Amino acid sequence: MAAESQEKRGEEEAQPRLPDLGFVRDKLQKFQSKMLTDFEQRLSCMVEDVLQDLRQRELRAHEFPNFERSDRKSTWHNRVTSQAPADVSDSTNGHANGTHPRPPIQSETSARKQRRQLPEKVFVARESYLTALLQVEHMRTIYHIFYIILVMFLLNVICYDYFVDGRFDLGLGTFRGGLRRLHWVMGVWVLEHVFVLALYFAFRGWALVRHKLKPHSSLQRFWSHSCLILYISSQLVFCFVSTSLCLKFNLPFVSACVLLLESTRLLMKMHAFVRYNAERVLKGKAKKEDTEEEKESSGRPFVPPLSCYTYFLFAPTLIYRDSYPRTSHIRWKFALNRLLEVVAIAFLYAFIHERHIHEHFGQYGLEPMGPSQLILKLFGMMLPSAVIFLCGFYLILHSWLNFTSELLRFGDRMFYKDWWTSHTYDGYYRNWNVVVHDWLYEYVYKDMYTHVFRGSKVAASLAVFMISAVVHEQVLGFALQMFFPVMFFFFGVVGVALVFLMRSAPKVMGNIFLWFSLILGNATLISLYAMEHYALKNCNLSNESWADRLLPAVWRCYN
């Protein structure tokens, strides 16, 4: 019996122990409960999203009819796939991407290659977002609130001038100081346009000589490479002259910004024209819309007429096409309203400079300064910086560009999208300034993606950010005549980091954080540049070595 019991005990030990059924049941019940809770939460969020979409659709149907059109997607979409035609038509209403379809793709390999190509920019006759939104009474009320803000700033300046200074200046002193030597800037601007027009004839000469050298392939390559080197050199000289003249003429901030921004715009326009048409010349494409013109130019490369190039120089776009969608007439009342908005915001900037920026930082370097004083000044600049940020967007991307579009009957007014609803910095950068973003995408990102980094979107995006950050810093640095790369750090380091960190952010919290970071970032940026400017002005600093020039005056004033 003892032997049998030991044998049974050994068999029981040899057999694997079954888990406790109660423990397993508890685990399964907890798992089921957790799954049901997650499912209910996800289902609740999905139902809330559907109800929110229905409410938004109903709101658009009654209050925003311009956004409820059947072609809404095509109206507010900016690009199409590469299968869309490349040329453009000059129709009054419609797409500016031609009507002739490309020939069908024959092989599977070429089809895969075609699918890998990046989408192309299209031009469509459409109004700006705010032009459509301001047709709604609720949005017009917000527009009127900004009018009242302007009036309040004006009353503030009037009261201060009368009770403190005993006179009325109305910000005209800021205009006189900021626009000094503007006639020199206009002279340089005219000479720059002469240079830009000369580039057209140089490009035409390159195309004709290249065609004549077609039987001699080695001479043709030598000619093209030599012209490419001359073109790059001319662009570098153009950039160098505009920046060096800011220092030579000792231009004030506003005049320097006008010169540098116009020089940058012309530089981007020249590259867009050369980049777009050089590809056509190298591929041997000619214009096909007019058979008579094709006979006259048979055997010669097609170069757009000078009228197309001249219109492009003044059109509010940085993407070259032979023609664009045009409006049927000029709305003079609309154009006058946009011009008055430009003047009003300019006065608002003068008021903010006199009553806030100068008041907060005018004595920097002459008064005691510690961390507590700096924090108070930073928070004192929060609201004025937010107004500067929003009004700067409205001034340039809405009022000024719509004003020039109306005078030129330029049809595509999508200079920006609804960036204020973005919940990621990726979407914000794409929608904030569509004009510059399209140029960076078309002539920098696509070339980097295709020829330099060969399929790496991250590397191409980083290159675009670095180039944009350098140009922003170059404009601010030379306009203020200082080396203080805060803009480069905010744009090229912090901005790039936030693009990757916020890609999975929830919509509501992402949008809240976006606005918080924009207001705080702009206040910090404006405050730091103002402190550096007044530190250089008020502190008697020596620049005996390069280290003295590189160290910020903000630091050297109190150390």
Side-chain angles (χ1 to χ4, degrees):
M1 293 293 293
E4 290 180 359
S5 62
Q6 289 180 358
E7 185 179 353
K8 288 181 179 179
R9 196 180 302 116
E11 289 178 357
E12 290 176 358
E13 292 177 354
Q15 291 178 356
R17 277 190 178 180
L18 294 176
D20 187 5
L21 294 180
F23 174 77
V24 174
R25 184 171 58 252
D26 292 340
K27 287 291 185 183
L28 289 176
Q29 287 177 351
K30 289 180 180 180
F31 178 73
Q32 181 184 15
S33 176
K34 185 177 180 181
M35 288 290 294
L36 289 175
T37 304
D38 292 342
F39 176 75
E40 289 176 357
Q41 290 178 352
R42 289 179 178 271
L43 183 62
S44 177
C45 292
M46 292 174 63
V47 171
E48 184 63 29
D49 289 341
V50 171
L51 293 176
Q52 182 69 17
D53 290 340
L54 291 175
R55 286 193 293 267
Q56 292 292 333
R57 183 177 292 276
E58 183 180 1
L59 178 65
R60 286 197 301 264
H62 292 86
E63 299 288 350
F64 298 86
N66 291 332
F67 292 89
E68 193 59 25
R69 296 167 46 184
S70 59
D71 60 340
R72 179 177 180 269
K73 184 176 179 181
S74 61
T75 300
W76 303 108
H77 196 60
N78 200 28
R79 298 186 181 90
V80 295
T81 58
S82 55
Q83 294 178 356
D87 293 332
V88 295
S89 61
D90 200 10
S91 58
T92 304
N93 295 303
H95 293 269
N97 58 334
T99 56
H100 303 287
R102 291 183 179 179
I105 303 170
Q106 302 295 332
S107 64
E108 184 179 355
T109 305
S110 60
R112 287 198 299 268
K113 183 178 179 181
Q114 188 77 7
R115 282 195 297 269
R116 285 196 300 268
Q117 291 183 358
L118 298 171
E120 297 177 354
K121 166 75 176 180
V122 293
F123 288 90
V124 181
R126 52 196 164 187
E127 292 284 3
S128 297
Y129 255 88
L130 289 179
T131 303
L133 286 173
L134 289 175
Q135 296 178 11
V136 181
E137 184 177 358
H138 303 294
M139 299 302 298
R140 282 201 303 271
T141 302
I142 300 176
Y143 181 75
H144 298 157
I145 291 173
F146 276 90
Y147 266 127
I148 300 304
I149 292 174
L150 173 63
V151 172
M152 291 302 176
F153 272 106
L154 176 61
L155 292 177
N156 185 2
V157 171
I158 290 175
C159 293
Y160 185 87
D161 289 346
Y162 180 74
F163 292 113
V164 177
D165 296 335
R167 58 185 177 84
F168 291 109
D169 187 65
L170 299 179
L172 295 178
T174 300
F175 280 99
R176 286 191 295 268
L179 295 175
R180 281 186 296 111
R181 304 183 183 90
L182 186 62
H183 57 288
W184 292 2
V185 174
M186 297 306 298
V188 175
W189 183 80
V190 172
L191 293 177
E192 286 182 339
H193 278 75
V194 173
F195 178 88
V196 172
L197 290 174
L199 177 73
Y200 171 82
F201 296 100
F203 180 84
R204 191 180 187 90
W206 164 75
L208 294 176
V209 173
R210 183 184 180 278
H211 177 73
K212 291 181 179 179
L213 294 176
K214 192 174 182 179
H216 311 283
S217 59
S218 58
L219 288 176
Q220 188 185 56
R221 284 196 300 272
F222 176 77
W223 169 252
S224 295
H225 291 163
S226 301
C227 290
L228 176 62
I229 294 172
L230 288 175
Y231 166 71
I232 296 174
S233 303
S234 66
Q235 301 301 289
L236 293 175
V237 170
F238 185 89
C239 182
F240 172 77
V241 169
S242 61
T243 52
S244 61
L245 287 178
C246 289
L247 303 179
K248 184 177 179 59
F249 294 159
N250 193 23
L251 296 177
F253 177 71
V254 179
S255 298
C257 282
V258 171
L259 176 59
L260 291 171
L261 291 175
E262 272 297 292
S263 301
T264 304
R265 183 186 70 88
L266 292 175
L267 199 67
M268 298 166 76
K269 293 260 189 182
M270 288 189 288
H271 182 73
F273 175 79
V274 172
R275 177 65 182 83
Y276 182 81
N277 288 285
E279 185 176 7
R280 301 163 81 180
V281 172
L282 294 176
K283 290 182 178 179
K285 290 185 177 181
K287 196 173 183 181
K288 301 294 183 183
E289 288 121 9
D290 193 347
T291 54
E292 295 181 0
E293 184 175 350
E294 186 182 1
K295 289 180 182 178
E296 293 176 0
S297 62
S298 116
R300 299 177 61 187
F302 171 72
V303 178
L306 182 60
S307 58
C308 295
Y309 181 63
T310 306
Y311 181 83
F312 168 65
L313 289 181
F314 297 96
T317 179
L318 298 173
I319 304 296
Y320 177 81
R321 296 292 186 267
D322 292 335
S323 57
Y324 303 91
R326 307 285 292 276
T327 57
S328 58
H329 62 283
I330 299 175
R331 298 173 294 178
W332 292 104
K333 182 179 179 180
F334 179 85
L336 180 61
N337 287 334
R338 301 290 80 77
L339 181 61
L340 291 177
E341 288 172 350
V342 171
V343 176
I345 295 175
F347 273 96
L348 177 61
Y349 276 177
F351 301 157
I352 293 176
H353 172 263
E354 292 184 359
R355 298 299 307 124
H356 292 277
I357 298 178
H358 184 73
E359 284 292 319
H360 280 91
F361 305 107
Q363 297 299 314
Y364 188 88
L366 303 176
E367 61 183 359
M369 189 65 59
S372 58
Q373 288 87 353
L374 287 176
I375 292 174
L376 290 176
K377 290 180 182 295
L378 175 62
F379 278 94
M381 283 298 298
M382 288 288 182
L383 181 59
S385 298
V387 174
I388 290 173
F389 169 71
L390 293 174
C391 290
F393 153 75
Y394 193 87
L395 168 69
I396 299 174
L397 295 176
H398 183 77
S399 299
W400 180 253
L401 292 183
N402 272 285
F403 170 71
T404 55
S405 295
E406 198 63 41
L407 295 184
L408 296 172
R409 296 193 300 112
F410 187 81
D412 194 341
R413 312 289 175 87
M414 197 179 71
F415 309 122
Y416 54 89
K417 296 183 184 178
D418 53 343
W419 59 268
W420 47 87
T421 63
S422 302
H423 63 281
T424 64
Y425 265 87
D426 202 4
Y428 165 73
Y429 285 133
R430 284 198 303 268
N431 299 333
W432 157 257
N433 188 345
V434 173
V435 179
V436 174
H437 177 268
D438 283 342
W439 187 91
L440 290 171
Y441 177 85
E442 195 76 17
Y443 303 119
V444 179
Y445 177 84
K446 289 175 73 172
D447 286 345
M448 291 286 183
Y449 177 82
T450 305
H451 304 294
V452 179
F453 299 109
R454 300 197 178 274
S456 176
K457 292 185 176 181
V458 175
S461 299
L462 290 176
V464 170
F465 270 105
M466 290 302 107
I467 292 173
S468 182
V470 168
V471 173
H472 279 78
E473 183 58 43
Q474 178 245 348
V475 171
L476 268 181
F478 280 93
L480 293 170
Q481 299 185 21
M482 65 175 67
F483 177 78
F484 195 57
V486 177
M487 171 65 82
F488 180 83
F489 177 77
F490 274 42
F491 197 98
V493 179
V494 179
V496 173
L498 289 175
V499 166
F500 294 99
L501 292 175
M502 292 184 61
R503 280 186 172 174
S504 59
K507 286 187 177 180
V508 176
M509 293 304 300
N511 186 255
I512 291 174
F513 179 79
L514 175 74
W515 276 101
F516 171 77
S517 59
L518 286 176
I519 294 174
L520 178 62
N522 280 282
T524 307
L525 190 74
I526 294 173
S527 299
L528 288 174
Y529 275 108
M531 286 189 290
E532 181 71 8
H533 171 73
Y534 285 108
L536 291 171
K537 183 179 179 181
N538 296 332
C539 302
N540 188 16
L541 301 174
S542 62
N543 295 318
E544 298 177 355
S545 63
W546 281 105
D548 294 334
R549 296 180 181 274
L550 295 179
L551 283 176
V554 174
W555 175 264
R556 295 166 59 199
C557 258
Y558 292 95
N559 293 279

